[in-house]
Amino acid sequence: MANQTQQPDVESVERFRETSRTLTASMLALVVMIAALAVSELLAEGFGARVLTVLSLLTSILLGYIILFQQRRNDQFHDTYSSFYKSELSRRSGIAIRRINSSDELTSQVIETLADAIDAKDEYTTGHSYRVSEYARLMGEALGFSSAEVEALRREALLHDVGKIGIPDSVINKVGRLTEQEAKAVQSHTTLGGDILSKLVSLPGASAVARYHHERFDGGGYPSGVKGSAIPAHARIVAVADSFDAMYSDRTFRKGLPPDVIRGELEKGRGTQFDPMYLDVFLDLLAKGKLDPVFSLSSRMRIEGTQAEFRVKLQEQLEEEAREIINAKMPLTSASCDAATRLKSAKSALALKYSQRFGLVVITLVPKEGVTISKTEQQQALAATGFAAKNALEGVGVCSYCSGNQLLALLYDTSDSSVDMLLQRVYLDFFRLVDNRRFDLTHFEI
């Protein structure tokens, strides 16, 4: 690898947003969507058809975002286009979902991709769907659910806000009180999400969770006003997890609330907004510190300026340190080597500057013993390592290549348990992309 830090070649959501503001891009998206569906029809039910169908689904979402909501004036809704889009999105999503139901691995990838796309619409809630899914998973385990049901609940929670794909960014990120029309648009994400997921037979509970997670235990919620046990159990669980994370996260109109204050707010909703049984389970996990590794991933920045500016500064700092290590030809072999000592000093300086704890991890790509690896295969595996790290660290850290087989991952505002959780995500994403019979990952923390 050249003596220059490289970044993973992963297209960002921000680039999608910029592209989506042009009419040319919208027409191109339409052509791609139609072509993908047409070709997939000719490919029977093979893997190629499912891949093209996934591309079609994501392009359909992008198309709707472009055409419907970015071409209006003065943030006024066009009811005719809105009705058409919701119908068309549901129809095409149904086609795509039917095609991917037979592949659990592909379904998982689509679910996580959609969750990331949803969260990217709100710059203040990056990682929201993931955190809600982890809260729900922990609640399911505490309730004694089977491993299969826990995993289903986790995936359902990941998709609980999928209907927000159909809500304009200007409404989601609006500072100030929503108009009546805007409030109705936000509430419609429950029914739209339920419709989109209704054909996902491999995850039958997802539609109900998306549709009913804003219902109240006393019947005062939306969209249907059902109450008590008429609300699906998984939706009642997600309602508690979703409310906690919404209060904990920084928003356009307020800073996030501390856990102790949120506990009091949740108690106020006992028996009215929340099912008392599931609320007790959540509060017990909170009191025992079982949720700390998850909500610490919100990573509130105690610095001046925006989170984006903070990430840019950290990225530049990390790249500079990586360049120095590469240029000095200092191998990163252990937490006590010379290069690690240098990095440890840089990490301490950052902690002092920003008054928060940082985690610094070296991730190494290792070919399996006795396996012959080509240069191209090595490069592809390293790119997959970078993608997995960037995906896992979105909103909670930055990463940079520092040699031909190593990455540096800098995590901010971390605890030991949150570092472990993030590394588990890196490993999970990596082995979805790379054959574990040919490569392995190792890591050590500095």
Side-chain angles (χ1 to χ4, degrees):
M1 180 177 289
N3 292 342
Q4 183 175 353
T5 306
Q6 299 182 20
Q7 292 301 305
D9 185 18
V10 180
E11 191 170 21
S12 68
V13 173
E14 288 74 18
R15 192 174 303 158
F16 273 117
R17 288 181 171 177
E18 183 65 25
T19 304
S20 71
R21 298 181 188 282
T22 67
L23 180 60
T24 301
S26 69
M27 296 308 297
L28 178 61
L30 177 60
V31 171
V32 172
M33 179 184 67
I34 295 173
L37 280 175
V39 173
S40 66
E41 289 286 352
L42 300 177
L43 292 179
E45 294 297 326
F47 177 77
R50 293 198 294 273
V51 171
L52 284 171
T53 301
V54 172
L55 293 176
S56 173
L57 172 61
L58 297 180
T59 307
S60 171
I61 292 169
L62 174 62
L63 174 66
Y65 170 64
I66 294 167
I67 295 178
L68 172 59
F69 297 115
Q70 297 300 322
Q71 303 300 323
R72 67 191 187 287
R73 297 179 180 178
N74 301 320
D75 291 322
Q76 296 298 309
F77 298 106
H78 297 303
D79 294 337
T80 300
Y81 289 117
S82 179
S83 176
F84 164 77
Y85 171 66
K86 290 180 180 179
S87 173
E88 187 67 6
L89 177 58
S90 295
R91 187 180 73 83
R92 294 192 181 276
S93 297
I95 294 172
I97 286 171
R98 283 195 298 273
R99 296 254 178 84
I100 64 176
N101 274 325
S102 60
S103 172
D104 184 71
E105 179 181 359
L106 188 57
T107 299
S108 179
Q109 293 172 3
V110 171
I111 287 172
E112 294 185 11
T113 300
L114 284 175
D116 289 342
I118 297 157
D119 290 348
K121 287 174 69 66
D122 186 342
E123 61 184 280
Y124 287 88
T125 59
T126 299
H128 168 72
S129 295
Y130 169 73
R131 292 190 299 274
V132 170
S133 73
E134 286 300 299
Y135 296 141
R137 177 183 65 80
L138 291 168
M139 291 175 70
E141 291 175 350
L143 287 161
F145 291 174
S146 67
S147 58
E149 185 174 2
V150 168
E151 177 59 15
L153 174 59
R154 185 190 72 83
R155 290 187 178 188
E156 291 162 7
L158 269 174
L159 292 174
H160 75 282
D161 273 343
V162 70
K164 285 187 177 179
I165 288 292
I167 311 300
D169 287 2
S170 60
V171 174
I172 291 177
N173 294 304
K174 181 177 179 179
V175 179
R177 189 179 183 84
L178 297 178
T179 66
E180 182 179 353
Q181 192 174 31
E182 289 168 339
K184 288 181 179 179
V186 171
Q187 291 183 3
S188 73
H189 83 276
T190 55
T191 53
L192 179 56
D195 291 344
I196 290 173
L197 300 174
S198 62
K199 311 237 178 2
L200 189 58
V201 297
S202 61
L203 197 61
S207 177
V209 168
R211 189 179 301 275
Y212 296 115
H213 71 280
H214 279 292
E215 298 289 359
R216 291 171 57 98
F217 196 66
D218 63 3
Y222 63 87
S224 303
V226 293
K227 64 180 180 179
S229 60
I231 305 170
H234 286 192
R236 281 178 273 155
I237 291 172
V238 171
V240 178
D242 183 45
S243 294
F244 176 87
D245 197 70
M247 287 187 276
Y248 186 76
S249 301
D250 291 339
R251 305 308 299 269
T252 56
F253 50 87
R254 59 147 175 84
K255 300 292 288 182
L257 302 176
D260 288 345
V261 174
I262 299 173
R263 173 185 286 275
E265 293 299 315
L266 292 175
E267 285 284 9
K268 292 178 183 178
R270 176 183 297 277
T272 54
Q273 183 174 356
F274 307 115
D275 184 323
M277 179 177 72
Y278 296 139
L279 179 61
D280 284 340
V281 170
F282 185 89
L283 293 178
D284 183 61
L285 290 169
L286 182 62
K288 292 178 178 177
K290 299 290 184 67
L291 305 180
D292 292 2
V294 184
F295 66 70
S296 66
L297 300 183
S298 294
S299 304
R300 299 198 193 113
M301 301 301 106
R302 295 186 295 273
I303 61 169
E304 295 181 359
T306 65
Q307 291 188 23
E309 291 171 346
F310 178 63
R311 289 195 294 271
V312 168
K313 290 176 182 178
L314 286 185
Q315 187 71 54
E316 292 173 348
Q317 178 79 31
L318 189 63
E319 290 175 5
E320 178 61 29
E321 294 297 334
R323 277 193 292 270
E324 291 293 332
I325 291 172
I326 292 171
N327 292 335
K329 297 182 179 179
M330 302 170 68
L332 266 170
T333 55
S334 70
S336 60
C337 68
D338 291 342
T341 301
R342 174 193 176 93
L343 288 170
K344 190 177 297 183
S345 297
K347 183 182 77 167
S348 298
L350 285 174
L352 182 63
K353 180 177 181 180
Y354 294 117
S355 300
Q356 64 175 282
R357 184 181 187 274
F358 287 89
L360 187 58
V361 181
V362 179
I363 302 173
T364 304
L365 175 69
V366 183
K368 288 285 190 178
E369 186 175 353
V371 176
T372 302
I373 303 297
S374 68
K375 183 177 180 180
T376 298
E377 193 175 6
Q378 172 82 11
Q379 291 174 340
Q380 291 173 341
L382 185 62
T385 309
F387 175 82
K390 183 172 182 180
N391 184 51
L393 299 179
E394 182 68 33
V396 297
V398 292
C399 60
S400 175
Y401 294 108
C402 63
S403 74
N405 69 328
Q406 288 182 317
L407 284 90
L408 289 176
L410 181 65
L411 295 74
Y412 34 84
D413 203 16
T414 61
S415 64
D416 291 338
S417 52
S418 64
V419 171
D420 290 341
M421 181 176 292
L422 286 166
L423 287 172
Q424 288 175 13
R425 290 194 70 192
V426 173
Y427 278 62
L428 182 63
D429 287 345
F430 174 79
F431 286 117
R432 284 174 177 158
L433 300 169
V434 176
D435 188 347
N436 61 6
R437 295 170 298 181
R438 302 186 65 77
F439 289 97
D440 203 352
L441 288 182
T442 63
H443 72 271
F444 60 87
E445 189 171 358
I446 296 175

